[in-house]
Amino acid sequence: MGHSYRSHPATVAVGEALGSDVFRWGIDLFNHGYYWEAHEAWEPLWQAAKQSAQHRLFFKGLILLAAAGVKIREGKRVAAARHATRAAGLFRQVVGGPDGPFEKALGMTPAALAERAQAVVAYPVVLREPKPAQPEPVFDFILAPVSASV
């Protein structure tokens, strides 16, 4: 059983997805090492993004990056590299400038996130001894949405 066992996914319109509680919940899960649960949080957003190719690429990239985190923790380097490489490829296809919605949602451009994902392949993560029932983040970065100025 995982961190979000028996939770029900929320439905979010694609135009609101990047600012939604569901999206930010996924970020929080990801940053704390709950990669499977982050994947589960983002999947409904990916499914809802049928009308926006850019959002679909973006969410699928996040889902694959989270899957890479799962595989790293399982010690499955080949699978982790495959997922990270696919995520990097998708992030490179996302069109967005430095002030675009995807950068604001993550605190970095999709291109920068692609580089971080590809680094998983070039420099495989070496895990410390796991602590029982405590996930360990495996990435050397966090996703940090840019807050609107007050």
Side-chain angles (χ1 to χ4, degrees), residues 31-33 35 69 72-75 77 124-141:
N31 287 339
H32 286 89
Y35 302 116
I72 289 167
R73 289 241 294 280
E74 291 175 346
R77 290 183 177 209
V125 176
V126 177
L127 296 177
R128 295 175 286 202
E129 188 65 34
K131 297 175 186 170
Q134 290 186 0
E136 179 183 346
V138 299
F139 299 110
D140 66 351
F141 62 90

Side-chain angles (χ1 to χ4, degrees), residues 27-76:
I27 286 175
D28 193 43
L29 291 166
F30 182 91
N31 287 339
H32 286 89
Y34 292 96
Y35 302 116
W36 177 257
E37 293 82 0
H39 162 279
E40 290 291 309
W42 289 326
E43 191 160 349
L45 300 176
W46 171 70
Q47 291 172 346
K50 293 177 181 159
Q51 302 303 317
S52 172
Q54 291 297 295
H55 281 79
R56 277 188 75 77
L57 292 169
F58 178 76
F59 291 127
K60 186 65 173 184
L62 288 174
I63 290 166
L64 286 167
L65 188 58
V70 170
K71 295 304 177 188
I72 289 167
R73 289 241 294 280
E74 291 175 346
K76 297 179 179 177

Side-chain angles (χ1 to χ4, degrees), residues 97-149:
D99 293 321
F102 299 112
E103 180 188 17
K104 289 178 183 174
L106 295 178
M108 69 179 83
T109 63
L113 189 54
E115 290 175 21
R116 300 285 188 141
Q118 201 61 53
V120 170
V121 179
Y123 309 103
V125 176
V126 177
L127 296 177
R128 295 175 286 202
E129 188 65 34
K131 297 175 186 170
Q134 290 186 0
E136 179 183 346
V138 299
F139 299 110
D140 66 351
F141 62 90
I142 62 166
L143 304 176
V146 177
S147 300
S149 299

Side-chain angles (χ1 to χ4, degrees), residues 79-112:
R82 183 177 61 249
H83 290 315
T85 298
R86 288 179 58 209
L90 292 172
F91 291 132
R92 287 188 187 102
Q93 294 177 53
V94 175
V95 177
D99 293 321
F102 299 112
E103 180 188 17
K104 289 178 183 174
L106 295 178
M108 69 179 83
T109 63

